[in-house]
Amino acid sequence: MNINILDESIIFENKNSYPAFPSIIKLDNNRFLISFRNAPKIKKHYSHLHSLSKAMLAVFDINKNGVEKVFEFAEYDDAAKQDAQLFRIDEKTIMAYYFRYTFHPMNEKELFKDYTFIEYDNTIALLSGIGVCISYDNGKTFSKPYIIEVNNMKNFAIRGSMCKLNDEVFAPIYAYKQNINKNNSKYQCYIISTKDLINWKLKSFLCETEFKKINNKKSRIEYVEPSLLNYKNNIIAFIRTHINNEYGLTSISYSKDKGKTFSKPIFTNIKGYPLNPMILENGKLLLTYGYRLKSYGVRAIVFDNPDDIFDIEKINYKADNEEIIIDSDMKSTDCGYPWSIENNCIISCVYYGYKDKNKFRKIYMKRFTLI
């Protein structure tokens, strides 16, 4: 299978800022809503950490092939906002969500020994939970933000798609459990859920850092950034996985009891990690992912029969032999995180990166059909 590229659009660009991590949903047959993170550009280097990081939305008109407007949401939340993402609940209801950082002076480090934080430019960047704004009028307006707290937990993040099963919304979260002995520190992934979009509960444990022998060598396996897909009332988790800090691949875990329990993750040969796995209008399964090996960009795999996702041999065959190149023009590994939507058999894929020597990062959208 291959693709027919229809066009490429720039959703957002500003030489003085650093946009990243977009997601997209359809508003109607003519317009898309696209979210992304944006922050002032740091002169010395780029970073996903910035105290002024904002959550942004853009409305794109297909007929005009252009952006109608760009605006901030969750502006009443003073925290730094990372990885703004979207999930459609129903025809009128949209959830816009992001994870939060708060910044603190280094001399307070001891106060945060039980929390997840990063030491960054002589400050403590504290992971401070997930912020949510809800639109009940199909994206015309959004509520003020509220912060998800689960079982008194709030030091976790989300960077992946939610899913809905019956009247329950499931979200994948991850956090870093620090230990005095850093060798025992580990990432943990969980599933949380809600039925009213306000009150959340801890639904299930997904996975955590583990050690096991691979090719007769003791290896550390890190699991982060899960994404979820509802397929035939089963929940499939696609999980970013690193073995001994090597390049990330995708692991897959399944729940066949409506999210109560998940299988142990299974490694695949997919060299990337799908953020919003989706079932297409023709019933096929599309996985798009950033590709951070040369040539840098965005790639995809299509399964004609989505049931093949339960067969590791078929997954690995696809990954080794039938990978589709969507974009291979990026200039560095700081690219990707694609998110796709389908409209009348046309797939629109948004992602970020830069294609010129001045490292001018942009949010791109490429539209294509499968052939």
Side-chain angles (χ1 to χ4, degrees):
M1 182 172 290
N2 210 327
I3 61 173
N4 175 36
I5 302 294
L6 301 178
D7 55 51
E8 179 181 282
S9 302
I10 295 174
I11 302 301
F12 183 84
E13 59 178 330
N14 184 320
K15 65 180 182 179
N16 295 316
S17 68
Y18 177 22
F21 309 116
S23 77
I24 182 171
I25 61 170
K26 185 171 73 171
L27 290 176
D28 51 47
N29 286 331
N30 299 317
R31 296 179 306 145
F32 296 139
L33 185 65
I34 300 164
S35 67
F36 58 96
R37 170 264 197 197
N38 192 42
K41 187 170 66 174
I42 299 173
K43 291 183 178 181
K44 293 183 179 180
H45 61 278
Y46 285 93
S47 173
H48 299 320
L49 286 175
H50 197 296
S51 63
L52 298 179
S53 183
K54 297 180 179 181
M56 308 296 295
L57 291 169
V59 177
F60 184 89
D61 189 305
I62 301 171
N63 292 334
K64 298 177 182 178
N65 195 28
V67 175
E68 283 186 356
K69 60 179 179 178
V70 177
F71 58 100
E72 181 182 359
F73 76 95
E75 62 269 30
Y76 295 101
D77 185 348
D78 291 333
K81 303 161 194 73
Q82 188 68 18
D83 298 12
Q85 296 156 85
L86 299 168
F87 181 64
R88 179 172 288 284
I89 307 297
D90 55 38
E91 291 183 357
K92 292 293 185 180
T93 311
I94 299 168
M95 180 182 293
Y97 57 101
Y98 54 91
F99 70 85
R100 310 167 74 249
Y101 276 111
T102 56
F103 290 80
H104 307 268
M106 188 64 72
N107 62 9
E108 295 180 0
K109 180 178 178 179
E110 288 300 314
L111 300 176
F112 301 119
K113 61 184 179 180
D114 295 326
Y115 298 90
T116 301
F117 66 84
I118 298 172
E119 295 184 25
Y120 174 71
D121 280 1
N122 295 314
T123 64
I124 296 296
L126 178 67
L127 192 63
S128 299
I130 298 170
V132 175
C133 296
I134 301 174
S135 172
Y136 295 99
D137 54 12
N138 196 35
K140 293 178 182 178
T141 61
F142 282 85
S143 68
K144 290 184 178 180
Y146 74 91
I147 300 172
I148 293 177
E149 294 187 27
V150 182
N151 292 21
N152 296 318
M153 296 168 49
K154 60 179 294 186
N155 292 98
F156 48 79
I158 183 168
R159 184 184 276 177
S161 56
M162 299 182 182
C163 76
K164 187 178 180 183
L165 185 59
N166 299 323
D167 62 344
E168 193 169 7
V169 175
F170 297 82
I173 64 172
Y174 66 98
Y176 192 64
K177 185 177 181 181
Q178 298 187 107
N179 192 289
I180 295 175
N181 179 356
K182 290 188 177 181
N183 291 329
N184 293 329
S185 299
K186 57 187 176 182
Y187 282 100
Q188 296 178 317
C189 302
Y190 294 91
I191 306 299
I192 60 175
S193 70
T194 183
K195 291 187 176 181
D196 62 7
L197 307 185
I198 302 297
N199 299 293
W200 293 78
K201 65 179 180 180
L202 186 64
K203 184 74 175 185
S204 54
F205 169 80
L206 181 58
C207 56
E208 67 180 2
T209 299
E210 61 178 334
F211 294 88
K212 63 182 180 181
K213 280 192 175 182
I214 299 176
N215 297 325
N216 294 319
K217 177 183 177 182
K218 185 178 180 181
S219 300
R220 181 185 178 99
I221 299 97
E222 301 277 22
Y223 300 106
V224 292
E225 300 180 4
S227 285
L228 302 180
L229 173 70
N230 175 358
Y231 177 61
K232 294 182 178 180
N233 287 328
N234 296 316
I235 299 177
I236 307 175
F238 298 80
I239 312 163
R240 175 177 177 174
T241 306
H242 293 271
I243 302 172
N244 295 327
N245 294 318
E246 294 178 358
Y247 182 79
L249 54 85
T250 292
S251 291
I252 293 179
S253 176
Y254 315 100
S255 173
K256 296 187 177 181
D257 57 9
K258 298 182 179 180
K260 295 178 183 177
T261 61
F262 280 81
S263 65
K264 286 188 67 65
I266 303 167
F267 297 159
T268 75
N269 287 353
I270 299 173
K271 296 180 177 65
Y273 12 97
L275 279 179
N276 74 321
M278 59 181 295
I279 302 296
L280 300 174
E281 294 167 6
N282 59 13
K284 297 180 180 182
L285 171 63
L286 173 69
L287 305 178
T288 54
Y289 47 91
Y291 192 78
R292 293 181 167 184
L293 301 170
K294 292 186 177 181
S295 300
Y296 312 122
V298 175
R299 301 193 178 193
I301 297 175
V302 177
F303 292 88
D304 294 337
N305 179 7
D307 287 326
D308 289 348
I309 205 68
F310 296 95
D311 187 330
I312 189 63
E313 291 186 6
K314 291 181 178 179
I315 296 173
N316 290 341
Y317 175 83
K318 283 278 187 179
D320 290 339
N321 299 285
E322 299 186 19
E323 193 174 48
I324 298 168
I325 297 176
I326 298 173
D327 194 320
S328 60
D329 294 330
M330 296 298 174
K331 299 300 184 184
S332 82
T333 58
D334 187 18
C335 67
Y337 282 87
W339 201 288
S340 300
I341 193 74
E342 185 182 24
N343 187 35
N344 296 323
C345 297
I346 297 175
I347 298 165
S348 299
C349 180
V350 293
Y351 51 97
Y352 85 98
Y354 69 92
K355 301 186 180 186
D356 42 33
K357 293 182 179 180
N358 64 9
K359 299 182 180 181
F360 185 5
R361 285 159 177 80
K362 306 174 185 179
I363 303 294
Y364 296 90
M365 181 173 71
K366 189 162 284 190
R367 299 200 306 152
F368 60 89
T369 57
L370 298 172
I371 54 176

